[in-house]
């Protein structure tokens, strides 16, 4: 939590649950990534947090945008983004969304199947397309494999087909999985992508761009490699595999840009024992899986949760949300400890929740209002 957030919480004591996000940290994260990889264009992954304050500020800082839907595209345009700086990066799009994006001037589209390519060719004729390949997601706490991406051989055929359809066969993309903590994942993916570039060049098709996706991690409870470590690994792999033909590089960071800029403040609703045989207390918060903490599914993302009790003994807990749904339990297997003094009415802060929280909140499951948001 940044000093600015600490002050804001003390001065305003906002109603919970709420997200408080420090825009200065977003700007700092963006600047840090740009310094680490100065040759890459940064396309902020809008889905991580589409707040207009974030989109507007990043646009002013020179960021571009990776949008997953026509709605996200319209949000970027509303904040002043030029259409040429927006990539329609979802490989699964309605024909009507492709047409609407094309009408807005969007000229870069992702695909990973012949069927999607045909849709783009008829609804966004002449545009730039890039093909997403599947790469290893080992080392990622929130994998994005299986559902997306095609093989290297198929990507090569599809890009030749794209050219035949009158589209600009622009490049390739991959995503190594979100919250990727292994720098080698990017190196393996770059090696794989380079094969397609080389192969197509021998066939007279020169791809211009490699989109390395997102995946850069933030610190939750455990240390993660620094962004500079990722940058170094990426740069050396690009030079090793592309030599004198290094293509334009695109990055699509989401979590890294906004994750550690925000915290969720939440009120403890109940602390109790469930099972006399189990020493663990159950701690119910006023936010849960349906209030925005969707990434606690499978306990994949393990947030750092802090309380105001600084001294005194702690004990093991199960942490659950406030709704009447049995699945609304955040942490039951991951070891969490909280102060023995913790009681209903206390405020806890869930750290590094600037990404993938606000938009995951349900409209009003059980009547609970969606998370409120404070951008400071
Ligand atoms: C979600 C997503 C991203 C952002 O991933 P992070 O792990 O948050 O950096 C980037 N590109 C695509 C295509 C995505 O689906």
């Amino acid at each position: 939590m940044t000093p600015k957030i600490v002050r804001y919480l003390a001065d305003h004591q906002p109603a919970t649950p709420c997200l408080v996000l420090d825009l200065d940290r977003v700007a700092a994260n963006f600047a840090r990534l740009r310094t680490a990889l100065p040759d890459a264009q940064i396309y902020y992954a809008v889905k991580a947090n589409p707040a207009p304050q974030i989109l507007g500020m990043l646009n002013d800082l020179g960021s571009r945008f990776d949008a997953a839907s026509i709605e996200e595209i319209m949000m970027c345009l509303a904040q002043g983004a030029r259409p040429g700086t927006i990539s329609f990066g979802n490989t699964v799009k309605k024909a009507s969304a492709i047409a609407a994006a094309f009408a807005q001037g969007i000229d870069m589209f992702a695909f990973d199947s012949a069927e999607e390519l045909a849709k783009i060719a008829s609804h966004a004729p002449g545009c730039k397309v890039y093909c997403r390949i599947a790469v290893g997601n080992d080392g990622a706490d929130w994998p994005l494999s299986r559902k997306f991406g095609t093989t290297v051989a198929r990507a090569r055929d599809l890009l030749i087909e794209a050219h035949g359809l009158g589209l600009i066969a622009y490049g390739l993309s991959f995503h190594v999985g979100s919250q990727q903590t292994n720098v080698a994942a990017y190196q393996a993916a770059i090696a794989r992508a380079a094969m397609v570039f080389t192969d197509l060049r021998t066939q007279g098709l020169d791809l211009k761009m490699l989109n390395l996706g997102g995946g850069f991690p933030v610190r939750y409870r455990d240390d993660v490699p620094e962004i500079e470590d990722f940058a170094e690994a990426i740069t050396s792999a690009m030079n090793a595999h592309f030599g004198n033909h290094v293509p334009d590089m695109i990055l699509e960071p989401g979590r890294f840009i906004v994750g550690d800029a925000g915290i969720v403040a939440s009120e403890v609703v109940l602390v109790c024992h469930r099972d006399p045989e189990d020493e663990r207390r159950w701690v119910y918060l006023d936010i849960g899986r349906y209030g925005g903490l969707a990434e606690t599914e499978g306990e994949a993302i393990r947030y750092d949760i802090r309380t105001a009790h600084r001294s005194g003994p702690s004990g093991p807990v199960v942490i659950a949300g406030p709704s009447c749904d049995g699945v609304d339990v955040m942490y039951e297997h991951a070891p969490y400890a909280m102060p023995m003094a913790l009681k209903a009415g206390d405020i806890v802060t869930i750290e590094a929740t600037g990404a993938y929280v606000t938009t995951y909140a349900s409209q009003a499951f059980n009547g609970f209002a969606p998370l409120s948001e404070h951008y400071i």
Side-chain angles (χ1 to χ4, degrees), residues 45 47-48 66 89 132 144 175 177-179 213-216 252-256 356:
K47 75 174 188 282
D66 168 49
R132 180 160 170 177
L144 297 168
H175 199 300
S178 199
Q179 186 66 9
F216 307 110
E252 297 174 336
R255 189 184 304 276
F256 175 79
Y356 302 120

Side-chain angles (χ1 to χ4, degrees), residues 197-339:
F197 277 73
T198 309
D199 226 14
L200 283 176
R201 184 169 306 116
T202 62
Q203 305 194 38
L205 197 61
D206 245 330
L207 298 183
K208 294 274 182 302
M209 181 280 286
L210 179 59
N211 178 335
L212 296 92
F216 307 110
V218 305
R219 188 184 194 290
Y220 293 110
R221 298 209 299 177
D222 299 321
D223 282 334
V224 296
E226 302 292 341
I227 198 69
E228 291 76 15
D229 300 328
F230 286 95
E232 198 180 303
I234 286 170
T235 304
S236 69
M238 290 297 289
N239 290 334
H241 293 286
F242 288 99
N244 291 329
H245 299 279
V246 174
D248 293 345
M249 263 190 285
I250 283 181
L251 305 173
E252 297 174 336
R255 189 184 304 276
F256 175 79
I257 300 292
V258 291
D260 72 356
I263 63 100
V264 163
S266 170
E267 181 180 325
V268 176
V269 182
L270 176 69
V271 182
C272 67
H273 282 276
R274 285 260 151 259
D275 173 358
E277 312 280 278
D278 190 347
E279 64 160 328
R280 293 182 302 175
R281 293 158 297 152
W282 280 67
V283 174
Y284 296 85
L285 304 179
D286 66 359
I287 185 171
R289 189 73 61 73
Y290 301 100
L293 303 182
E295 288 196 319
T296 58
E297 166 85 41
E299 307 192 15
I301 299 294
R302 298 176 175 188
Y303 296 112
D304 182 18
I305 304 179
R306 297 188 188 169
T307 74
H309 302 274
R310 294 198 195 285
S311 52
S314 295
V317 292
V318 174
I319 304 172
S323 71
C324 300
D325 188 309
V327 171
D328 190 11
V329 177
M330 281 87 82
Y331 302 115
E332 197 174 358
H333 304 289
Y336 271 83
M338 284 190 164

